[in-house]
């Protein structure tokens, strides 16, 4: 598929979000190169992407063990071989020793009428299949002497000790026992190639005894802000100036993804300077990204600069915020070790909310794909009923598969849009008067109102074809978050 929105296939209309995602995915797939990997210790693994599939070398738990402190016994021996006191529903067993976590019982197998003291996590002794918790037990030093004790018997004193189970008839076979391998079976796939490593994944890898794993090397992304009015925080704001918010929101979004940021500062509205900077950045980064200067104003030079040192597709995308978005490829100039290669380029719109929203819709899925992350296998949300499958059906490469998860929530207020585009309102969860959770916008929704992102937990998607969603109606949201 061509990159141009002037393609005969599309005519001169704006691309839909899904079309843009499909074209982008194809374009990135064509640029695919071998991803470098590295070994990291588990303490450095969170937020990285696994470059191998981890097969469990063991059962977890490694042995069948107690889920409670108490006694281990053979359930079958209870009614036959214990002193059953039907009036009190109690039975008495001989305690022959103890199995502690880290100190398993090495003595003989349990016989009828016998039990073993056991602590949570301790291996179940041979012959035992059930655990009765401490709160249900009374221990006696010898015979039925009334001498409840909470401490474990001294070594060798076990033979003399007896225990009474209160409510013995409630004991079920296999109760309070964790079977070997019930969490992870030896030989099973546990964490897959391309998985983003969450704190839980790191914990699971540690539970397998792994100290190091192979992950993909982080991508490097070069970022610039553009515009004569854009001023670095800390500097004096000139008349007509504006502090540079975009470089910082973008850099923070990239850091959240575990990406190495090459911050190349602010570029003035100068076409030649832009060309030099883009070429230099392409030789040093896996992706280059700018904000501002992509529209049609006389100082908007990103398009021209990109055409001079690469290939451009200036998309006008049917979405708000974020209608103007430049995507293309930069050719890496001779003299660099990557000479002859191509580096993807995103020219994001300058309005600060448009910058963040286009990053979230397009750049973030692109980065996930380039970094080796496995896609989410969910269908893109934008496809309109009745639209031709030829133009909107997602392809295997479509970046829609790498987008953030979508949830259906209930609108807490009436939401309006224009039917020819997708609108992304900034949303937050609120508990309504009836106690139900609903989603509301975060206040003023202009493309320059960056504080609308401040309280945002999600982007409320009002799909193309829909001009209004009433309070109380279902609405799709895209959840914001690093993964
Ligand atoms: N004739 C048209 N004008 C505009 C169109 C259009 O289609 N036709 N689209 C509008 C939309 S929508 C957007 S979004 C903007 C995008 O334009 P640019 O990417 O060229 O952005 P700039 O003009 O450079 O800046 C827009 C706005 O954002 C401020 N800005 C820029 N960079 C930063 C930064 N790093 N930090 C904070 N704020 C920044 C800039 O000062 C402007 O106020 O074009 C519309 N116009
Ligand atoms: O799309 Mo612009 O991003 O509306 O401000």
């Amino acid at each position: 598929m061509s990159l141009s929105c002037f393609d005969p296939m599309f005519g001169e209309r704006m691309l839909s979000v899904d079309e843009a995602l499909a074209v982008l995915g194809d374009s990135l797939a064509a640029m695919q190169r071998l991803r470098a990997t590295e070994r990291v210790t588990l303490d450095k693994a969170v937020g990285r992407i696994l470059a191998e599939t981890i097969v469990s070398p063991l059962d977890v738990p490694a042995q069948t063990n107690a889920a409670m402190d108490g006694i281990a016994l053979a359930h079958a021996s209870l009614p036959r071989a214990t002193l059953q006191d039907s009036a009190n529903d109690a039975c008495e067993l001989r305690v022959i020793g103890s199995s502690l976590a880290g100190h398993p019982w090495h003595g003989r197998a349990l016989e009828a009428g016998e039990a073993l003291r056991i602590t949570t996590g301790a291996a179940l002794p041979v012959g035992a299949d059930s655990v009765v918790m401490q709160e249900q037990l009374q221990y006696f030093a010898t015979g039925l002497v009334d001498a409840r004790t909470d401490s474990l018997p001294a070594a060798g004193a076990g033979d003399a000790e007896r225990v009474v189970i209160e409510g013995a008839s409630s004991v079920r076979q296999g109760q309070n026992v964790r079977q070997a391998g019930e969490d992870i079976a030896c030989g099973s796939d546990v964490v897959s190639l391309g998985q983003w490593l969450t704190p839980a994944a790191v914990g699971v890898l540690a539970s397998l005894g792994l100290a190091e794993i192979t992950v993909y090397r982080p991508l490097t992304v070069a970022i610039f802000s553009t515009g004569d009015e854009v001023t670095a925080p800390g500097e004096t704001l000139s008349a007509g100036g504006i502090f540079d918010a975009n470089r910082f929101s973008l850099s923070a979004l990239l850091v959240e993804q575990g990406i190495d940021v090459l911050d190349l500062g602010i570029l003035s509205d100068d076409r030649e300077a832009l060309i030099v900077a883009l070429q230099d950045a392409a030789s040093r980064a896996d992706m280059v990204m700018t904000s501002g200067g992509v529209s049609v104003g006389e100082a908007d030079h990103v398009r021209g600069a990109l055409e001079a040192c690469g290939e451009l597709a200036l998309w006008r995308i049917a979405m708000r915020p974020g209608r103007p978005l430049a995507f293309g490829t930069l050719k890496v100039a001779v003299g660099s070790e990557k000479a002859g290669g191509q580096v993807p380029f995103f020219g994001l719109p300058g309005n600060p909310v448009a910058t963040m929203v286009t990053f979230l819709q397009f750049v973030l899925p692109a980065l996930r794909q380039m970094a080796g992350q496995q896609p989410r296998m969910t269908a893109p949300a934008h496809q309109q009923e009745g639209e031709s499958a030829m133009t909107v059906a997602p392809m295997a490469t479509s970046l829609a598969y790498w987008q953030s998860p979508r949830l259906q929530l209930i609108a807490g207020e009436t939401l309006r849009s224009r039917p020819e585009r997708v609108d992304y309102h900034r949303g937050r969860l609120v508990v309504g008067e009836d106690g139900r959770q609903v989603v509301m916008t975060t206040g003023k929704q202009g493309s320059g109102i960056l504080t609308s992102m401040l309280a945002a937990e999600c982007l409320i998607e009002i799909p193309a074809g829909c001009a209004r969603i009433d309070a109380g109606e279902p609405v799709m949201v895209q959840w914001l978050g690093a993964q």
Side-chain angles (χ1 to χ4, degrees):
M1 194 181 288
S2 154
L3 289 178
S4 170
C5 61
F6 302 104
D7 190 293
M9 191 164 163
F10 297 116
E12 292 227 355
R13 65 182 171 81
M14 284 191 239
L15 294 186
S16 72
V17 172
D18 272 347
E19 285 167 341
L21 287 165
V23 172
L24 247 169
D26 274 359
S27 174
L28 290 178
M31 272 184 265
Q32 212 62 263
R33 61 180 83 85
L34 210 61
R35 296 181 183 98
T37 62
E38 60 186 354
R39 297 283 289 171
V40 291
T41 51
L42 279 196
D43 57 319
K44 305 277 188 304
V46 74
R48 304 298 299 270
I49 296 165
L50 198 59
E52 57 181 332
T53 290
I54 301 293
V55 176
S56 181
L58 74 170
D59 277 339
V60 179
Q63 67 271 312
T64 298
N65 67 83
M68 294 281 180
D69 299 318
I71 54 164
L73 50 83
H75 185 265
S77 77
L78 271 180
R80 279 200 315 276
T82 60
L83 177 65
Q84 182 82 43
D85 179 341
S86 56
N88 297 317
D89 191 17
C91 70
E92 185 179 312
L93 302 170
R94 282 188 310 283
V95 178
I96 64 161
S98 59
S99 176
L100 310 185
H103 303 280
W105 169 247
H106 292 301
R108 64 177 172 78
L110 283 180
E111 290 173 6
E114 293 181 340
L116 204 75
R117 283 215 187 212
I118 198 157
T119 60
T120 305
L124 225 64
V126 176
D129 59 8
S130 310
V131 169
V132 181
M133 63 197 285
Q134 195 83 349
E135 290 84 337
Q136 222 179 319
L137 305 174
Q138 283 204 53
Y139 293 99
F140 299 92
T142 51
L144 289 175
V145 181
D146 185 8
R148 179 190 283 261
T149 170
D150 287 333
S151 58
L152 290 166
D159 283 349
E161 198 185 35
R162 304 182 81 77
V163 66
V164 169
I165 304 171
E166 291 162 352
S169 61
S170 68
V171 177
R172 300 278 168 263
Q173 185 175 25
Q175 72 171 35
N176 301 326
V177 170
R178 304 187 285 214
Q179 298 298 329
E182 74 172 25
D183 184 2
I184 301 167
C186 181
S188 61
D189 287 359
V190 187
V191 193
S192 306
L193 174 88
Q195 194 159 326
W196 164 282
L197 295 175
T198 60
V202 175
V204 167
L205 294 171
S207 78
L208 302 179
L210 300 174
E212 285 189 354
I213 47 161
T214 304
V215 294
Y216 290 116
R217 275 187 191 278
L219 297 170
T220 300
V221 175
I223 57 172
F224 303 99
S225 287
T226 68
D228 289 347
E229 80 282 25
V230 180
T231 309
E235 290 183 4
T236 307
L237 201 61
S238 57
I242 184 168
F243 281 122
D244 184 358
N246 295 348
R247 200 158 40 97
F248 294 87
S249 57
L250 288 176
S251 170
L253 284 161
L254 291 167
V255 167
E256 226 179 28
Q257 289 303 305
I259 282 164
D260 291 342
V261 179
L262 192 56
D263 184 343
L264 297 176
I266 301 167
L267 292 173
S268 57
D269 291 319
D270 174 342
R271 186 175 179 274
E272 297 314 311
L274 256 171
I275 294 172
V276 173
L278 291 181
Q279 280 179 324
D280 170 54
S283 67
R284 299 163 67 190
D286 300 299
M287 178 192 282
V288 179
M289 195 163 47
T290 60
S291 69
V294 290
S295 191
V296 292
E298 58 193 76
D300 292 336
H301 296 303
V302 169
R303 175 181 185 156
L306 182 53
E307 276 167 340
C309 53
E311 250 183 79
L312 166 82
L314 180 68
W315 290 337
R316 292 170 65 238
I317 299 175
M319 64 185 273
R320 188 170 188 280
R323 187 167 55 149
L325 170 77
F327 171 74
T329 49
L330 292 166
K331 288 194 201 83
V332 183
V334 183
S336 155
E337 60 182 37
K338 296 194 310 183
Q342 286 187 318
V343 172
F345 170 81
F346 281 95
L348 306 182
N351 277 329
V353 182
T355 307
M356 289 190 78
V357 170
T358 48
F359 178 94
L360 294 167
Q361 297 314 309
F362 302 108
V363 184
L364 185 54
L367 290 169
R368 288 174 177 149
Q369 193 256 29
M370 287 173 67
Q373 199 171 330
Q374 281 303 307
R376 285 171 197 282
M377 296 316 281
T378 53
H382 310 289
Q383 192 164 333
Q384 294 303 299
E385 231 174 86
E387 276 195 272
S388 138
M390 251 181 62
T391 54
V392 295
M395 285 161 289
T397 53
S398 169
L399 288 187
Y401 291 109
W402 281 267
Q403 282 197 302
S404 298
R406 288 183 170 82
L407 314 169
Q408 193 182 63
L409 296 176
I410 299 297
E413 62 185 307
T414 298
L415 303 162
R416 290 188 175 79
S417 174
R418 293 234 298 266
E420 69 274 11
R421 66 183 189 212
V422 182
D423 259 35
Y424 296 94
H425 294 259
R426 278 67 77 200
R428 67 195 170 96
L429 291 178
V430 172
V431 177
E433 280 171 11
D434 59 359
R436 280 201 313 168
Q437 199 166 255
V438 293
V439 63
M440 308 275 287
T441 57
T442 55
K444 286 184 205 156
Q445 295 290 302
S447 300
I449 312 270
L450 189 51
T451 51
S452 68
M453 287 295 292
L454 204 54
E457 294 167 310
C458 59
L459 294 175
I460 306 172
E461 268 183 1
I462 308 183
C466 174
R468 175 189 169 116
I469 293 171
D470 285 320
E473 286 185 347
V475 66
M476 294 306 286
V477 306
Q478 213 178 91
W479 205 251
L480 299 177
Q483 295 179 57

